[in-house]
Amino acid sequence: MYVPPAFAEDRLPVLHDAIRAARLCTLVTMGSDGLEASHVPVLLDAEAGPHGTLLGHFSKANPQWRRLSAEVPALAIVTGPDAYVTPSWYETKKQTGKAVPTWNYVAVHAYGALELFDDAESLRDVVTRLTERHEAGRPDAWAVSDAPEDFLQGMFKGIVGFRLPIARIEGKWKLSQNRPAEDRAGVVAGLRADGGEAEMAVAALMAEDR
C-alpha cells in the first residue's frame, strides 16, 4: 500500500481497533489461477504473535483455499470509514483556486502465511467466537449451542478454518493531514454538514488529536 509519511499509522493498538471495528476483511491470496479474493468476517487474537493473528473460515465450496500458494503471503485488507472531500470546503480554494477533490479514508493491510485447519474442535471455537461477538447485546441472541449437534457437525464439514499470523501490518489514515489547519477545519465542518454516517465518522477521526 502506498503510504505517504503524513498518512502513516503504525500504532499497533490503533490498527487492531480498526480491524475490530471493521469486522469484515478482504482476504487476497495468490493461487494456481492467479490472484483470488474472498470477503470474510474475521476475529483478531491480539496476543497471538508480535502483531496478532486473524482467524476465520472459508466455505469448502470456495476454491480459493484449495488453490492458494504457501510460498506467497496472504493479504487481509480492512477498511474503515471513508468520504469524498470537495475542494469547496478548503479555505485555500477560496484564496487561490488551487485545489482538487480527494477522498479521505482508513485502511489496514495485514500480511502473513495463511494456515488452514479443518478439525471440528477448532472450527467450533472460531464459529462460536464469531457468533458471540456479533450476537452480543441482541435481545434474543442466538448461540451455536442452540443448533442440534448433528446439524452442527454437518456444517463444520462444509467449512475450512484459517489462521493468518500477521507478519507485517501497515495502516493508512488519509485524513487531510497534508492540508493547512484551516482547510482541515473546513473539511470537518463540511463532512458534519453532509451528515451521513460515514461522513460523520471521518469527521470524528479528523477531529481527534493524532
Side-chain angles (χ1 to χ4, degrees):
M1 177 165 57
Y2 170 57
V3 187
F7 305 143
E9 177 56 77
D10 56 11
R11 293 171 293 175
L12 191 59
V14 175
L15 300 175
H16 281 179
D17 284 346
I19 292 172
R20 294 187 187 100
R23 302 180 295 178
L24 191 75
C25 87
T26 302
L27 185 60
V28 184
T29 60
M30 175 64 78
S32 55
D33 285 359
L35 289 172
E36 297 184 80
S38 292
H39 308 282
V40 290
V42 291
L43 292 164
L44 171 67
D45 186 342
E47 304 304 319
H51 305 298
T53 295
L54 299 179
L55 297 156
H57 61 81
F58 292 106
S59 165
K60 273 192 178 175
N62 180 347
Q64 182 178 0
W65 69 273
R66 296 181 185 276
R67 298 195 288 231
L68 63 88
S69 170
E71 291 75 34
V72 180
L75 164 62
I77 301 172
V78 170
T79 57
D82 66 272
Y84 173 75
V85 175
T86 171
S88 301
W89 293 335
Y90 293 155
E91 183 62 30
T92 53
K93 182 264 182 186
K94 301 170 187 175
Q95 298 169 356
T96 69
K98 296 178 180 179
V100 294
T102 191
W103 209 280
N104 280 2
Y105 60 88
V106 166
V108 178
H109 287 192
Y111 305 82
L114 205 62
E115 303 170 358
L116 302 176
F117 58 88
D118 62 1
D119 62 287
E121 182 178 353
S122 298
L123 291 172
R124 184 190 296 272
D125 178 65
V126 169
V127 171
T128 298
R129 289 167 64 186
L130 279 167
T131 300
E132 289 174 347
R133 179 181 180 194
H134 299 297
E135 291 284 339
R138 295 178 182 272
D140 188 20
W142 182 84
V144 171
S145 58
D146 290 345
E149 184 59 30
D150 58 343
F151 172 78
L152 289 174
Q153 291 298 325
M155 296 300 292
F156 294 150
K157 291 177 181 177
I159 61 176
V160 177
F162 66 80
R163 299 181 191 89
L164 197 160
I166 301 172
R168 179 165 64 94
I169 187 168
E170 54 189 4
K172 185 173 184 178
W173 267 237
K174 185 178 178 296
L175 301 171
S176 301
Q177 298 97 316
N178 58 332
R179 305 296 308 185
E182 59 269 27
D183 286 0
R184 285 175 54 83
V187 173
V188 171
L191 290 169
R192 288 172 173 167
D194 273 4
E197 183 176 349
E199 286 76 12
M200 295 296 285
V202 172
L205 288 171
M206 291 184 64
E208 292 179 359
D209 182 13
R210 301 190 60 80

